[in-house]
Amino acid sequence: MQAHEIEERLEFLKAAEGLKRVVRSAKLSDGAPESSAAHSWRLALWVLVFRDQMAGLDVMRLLELAIVHDLGEAISGDIPAIADVDKAQKEAQERADLEALYAPLPVGLRQQFWALWEEYEAAETEEAKWIKGLDKLETMVQHNQGSNDPDFDYVFNLTYGLEHTDRVELLAQIRVLIDAETAAHGGR
């Protein structure tokens, strides 16, 4: 590998550091704000924890999807799921952010990252269905686990991402347990 090829990849990795600084609306159990990088890390951990239940799925692909699904947030930040935003505008911003973030990568690697993001967004492959659903479940668990303000909207969890968690039988089963936790926190 040539030095300039290494430098291009390092430039991308340095820019991706922005994901570590992006603060999400969720809080950790100690009250500290959650970062988008921490969310992506735990989403990947969910894959490892449940991989024995993912017969026929490509675990490496699942991990790749988990790691890249929120990379665009490294530039413009996270928009909370509860926020009322124009979805087309949000997607356009995320695409522009990813274009800037992926720019230093060699063409082949850039295309691979784009393909992963597109796969996640479309949620049509079995792996993408799982990651889309797990992404919602991870967020809900963090909402329940976090040391939230007294006016935190736990009711939001009860409908959040249903269209994704209900597409996979095990995820729907997990959701029943998470919904029970949400109800215990004040969701109805």
Side-chain angles (χ1 to χ4, degrees), residues 25-87:
S25 62
K27 294 200 177 167
L28 302 178
S29 57
D30 67 358
E34 178 192 34
S35 74
S36 288
H39 162 69
S40 294
W41 164 78
R42 192 156 81 166
L43 178 56
L45 188 60
W46 278 68
V47 171
L48 297 180
V49 168
F50 288 103
R51 72 179 162 195
D52 63 330
Q53 301 300 308
M54 299 174 175
L57 297 180
D58 182 342
V59 174
M60 182 58 146
R61 186 74 166 183
L62 288 159
L63 291 169
E64 290 170 336
L65 290 166
I67 290 168
V68 304
H69 86 285
D70 277 343
L71 269 178
E73 295 178 9
I75 295 181
S76 292
D78 177 55
I79 297 173
I82 201 165
D84 184 23
V85 297
D86 180 278
K87 288 185 181 203

Side-chain angles (χ1 to χ4, degrees), residues 69-160:
H69 86 285
D70 277 343
L71 269 178
E73 295 178 9
I75 295 181
S76 292
D78 177 55
I79 297 173
I82 201 165
D84 184 23
V85 297
D86 180 278
K87 288 185 181 203
Q89 183 179 3
K90 179 184 176 191
E91 183 179 337
Q93 181 64 56
E94 192 163 5
R95 284 183 180 280
D97 291 346
L98 287 170
E99 188 69 40
L101 188 64
Y102 295 164
L105 292 172
V107 173
L109 194 52
R110 191 177 326 141
Q111 289 171 339
Q112 289 174 19
F113 277 61
W114 271 116
L116 287 166
W117 186 80
E118 294 284 355
E119 181 179 349
Y120 172 80
E121 287 297 308
E124 293 172 358
T125 66
E126 289 306 307
E127 286 82 2
K129 289 175 189 176
W130 271 82
I131 290 300
K132 241 343 183 182
L134 287 173
D135 177 41
K136 306 312 177 200
L137 296 175
E138 196 289 324
T139 298
M140 294 164 60
V141 165
Q142 190 59 57
H143 288 166
N144 287 340
Q145 185 177 11
S147 179
N148 299 306
D149 296 332
D151 63 342
F152 186 83
D153 184 7
Y154 289 101
V155 174
F156 173 78
N157 269 9
L158 297 175
T159 57
Y160 177 61

Side-chain angles (χ1 to χ4, degrees), residues 46 129-130 133-134 137 140 161-180:
W46 278 68
K129 289 175 189 176
W130 271 82
L134 287 173
L137 296 175
M140 294 164 60
L162 274 170
E163 68 277 16
H164 299 294
T165 59
D166 286 356
R167 292 176 79 183
V168 176
E169 184 180 339
L170 178 59
L171 302 186
Q173 291 174 332
I174 295 168
R175 184 175 188 118
V176 169
L177 299 173
I178 296 170
D179 283 349

